[in-house]
């Protein structure tokens, strides 16, 4: 019940326009604050349900936070797109990668939260990383369950 109440609160970042504009602001402000060049790109993403927008915003914030804390990255790329009936959020860095799973397992609460939020919408989080080659986090949500319906579709 608490989770539902928290998700019902629309973050201020989403109050002033579409999700893509909010993510672009988050990426730009993060880049300025951390001194790491970061780019944002959005392609062909329809309007999404509020819960999906919150999930993608929080995943972006958490992913970028992880880059700042752990990656020693020189560059970060964030992309929002629709591919094969999925809404994809990709966060790629060129940092040090993630150490072997057992040694770092206890520090992945943010990633666990991302996975829980995505799973609640029928989606998933994929992580690719190798030592010295950076990390890629992809949040994939099924478009069929997260796209906002229009009034004509409801009629």
């Amino acid at each position: 019940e608490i989770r539902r109440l928290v998700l019902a609160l629309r973050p201020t970042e989403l109050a002033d326009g579409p999700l893509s504009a909010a993510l672009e602001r988050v990426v730009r402000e993060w880049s300025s604050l951390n001194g790491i060049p970061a780019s944002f790109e959005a392609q062909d993403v329809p309007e999404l349900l509020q819960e999906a927008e919150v999930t993608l915003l929080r995943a972006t914030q958490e992913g970028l936070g992880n880059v700042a804390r752990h990656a020693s990255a020189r560059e970060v790329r964030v992309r929002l797109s629709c591919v094969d009936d999925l809404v994809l959020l990709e966060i790629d860095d060129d940092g040090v990668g993630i150490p072997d799973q057992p040694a770092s397992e206890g520090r992945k609460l943010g990633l666990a939260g991302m996975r829980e939020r995505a799973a609640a919408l029928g989606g998933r989080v994929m992580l690719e990383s190798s030592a010295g080659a950076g990390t890629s986090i992809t949040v994939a949500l099924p478009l069929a369950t997260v796209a906002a319906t229009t009034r004509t579709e409801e009629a």
Side-chain angles (χ1 to χ4, degrees):
E1 184 174 54
I2 291 173
R3 180 184 293 279
R4 227 178 324 114
L5 289 172
V6 169
L7 286 174
L9 299 173
R10 187 165 180 87
T12 57
E13 294 91 348
L14 294 170
D16 296 329
L19 174 63
S20 59
L23 295 182
E24 185 171 26
R25 274 192 310 277
V26 166
V27 170
R28 184 178 58 245
E29 290 170 5
W30 177 90
S31 178
S32 178
L33 180 66
N34 291 282
I36 301 170
S39 62
F40 174 75
E41 180 182 352
Q43 300 175 341
D44 303 323
V45 178
E47 185 178 346
L48 303 175
L49 296 174
Q50 179 176 318
E51 189 174 355
E53 290 186 347
V54 171
T55 295
L56 295 169
L57 174 71
R58 296 295 186 225
T60 301
Q61 292 169 324
E62 181 62 34
L64 291 174
N66 286 342
V67 171
R69 285 187 298 275
H70 307 296
S72 299
R74 293 172 308 213
E75 182 180 12
V76 179
R77 290 173 311 284
V78 178
R79 286 181 299 282
L80 180 66
S81 61
C82 276
V83 177
D84 295 333
D85 298 325
L86 294 172
V87 176
L88 300 175
L89 171 69
E90 301 165 272
I91 304 168
D92 301 317
D93 71 66
D94 63 354
V96 298
I98 297 176
D100 291 337
Q101 299 297 339
S104 62
E105 199 62 43
R107 297 185 299 242
K108 294 186 180 174
L109 295 177
L111 187 57
M114 270 190 235
R115 286 185 168 132
E116 287 176 10
R117 286 186 191 102
L121 296 170
R124 59 186 238 168
V125 175
M126 295 156 283
L127 177 71
E128 293 181 31
S129 183
S130 56
T135 301
S136 177
I137 296 174
T138 302
V139 178
L141 303 177
L143 186 58
T145 61
V146 300
T149 57
T150 62
R151 292 187 188 271
T152 56
E153 290 173 339
E154 292 173 353

